[in-house]
Structures are given as C-alpha cells and as structure tokens.
Amino acid sequence: MKLLVRNLARTTAEHEIRALFSTHGSVAECTLVLDQETGQSKGFAFVEMPNDDEAKAAISALNLTSFAKSKIRVKNADA
C-alpha cells in the first residue's frame, strides 16, 4: 500500500521517515518529495509498505501525531 505523508517539517530527512514507519512494519520504498530548483523538501513524502495490515496500522498510529515538531498527516495515497 502506498501512503502519503503530509505536513512534514522541511528539515525532515528521508531516512527519518523510513525509520518512523519501520516501527510499524516493513517499508519497501520511501520517497521524500524535493523541490527541483532548490533541492529542499516540499514537506511531503510517499511510503510504500507491502503488507496492507501493517500499512493500515501505521496510518492509525501515525496520522495526526507530532513528528519533528510538526503534526503529520498519513493516508492511503491511492484512495
């Protein structure tokens, strides 16, 4: 299941997002979206979790929680 993670702090690194989601299951891919001109984070990322049950658990556990001083939003990217 592909997840959309929004409202990330601009300073959040891809490996930090991967580590956060890895506590809820296996992460196949993690892509932090960057501005092409500046190379800075745009404040959102996509996380691919192969196990749907683990992905749903991650959504439940992480949506609207505080991460790096930002209240992140997590949802199914395909919905």
Side-chain angles (χ1 to χ4, degrees):
M1 180 182 290
K2 190 172 194 175
L3 306 178
L4 171 62
V5 186
R6 299 185 316 165
N7 204 38
L8 291 165
R10 302 281 191 227
T11 56
T12 303
E14 200 168 283
H15 72 272
E16 294 173 304
I17 301 164
R18 181 181 288 273
L20 177 67
F21 280 83
S22 292
T23 62
H24 299 282
S26 61
V27 175
E29 193 175 326
C30 179
T31 308
L32 181 64
V33 179
L34 303 176
D35 184 288
Q36 289 188 1
E37 290 182 20
T38 66
Q40 299 293 318
S41 168
K42 285 191 163 189
F44 68 99
F46 293 99
V47 176
E48 183 84 37
M49 298 183 77
N51 183 307
D52 284 0
D53 290 334
E54 291 175 351
K56 288 173 187 170
I59 291 171
S60 296
L62 299 173
N63 189 40
L64 300 177
T65 60
S66 182
F67 179 66
K69 299 181 182 175
S70 291
K71 186 181 267 191
I72 62 171
R73 289 189 222 111
V74 183
K75 68 177 196 168
N76 184 340
D78 300 322

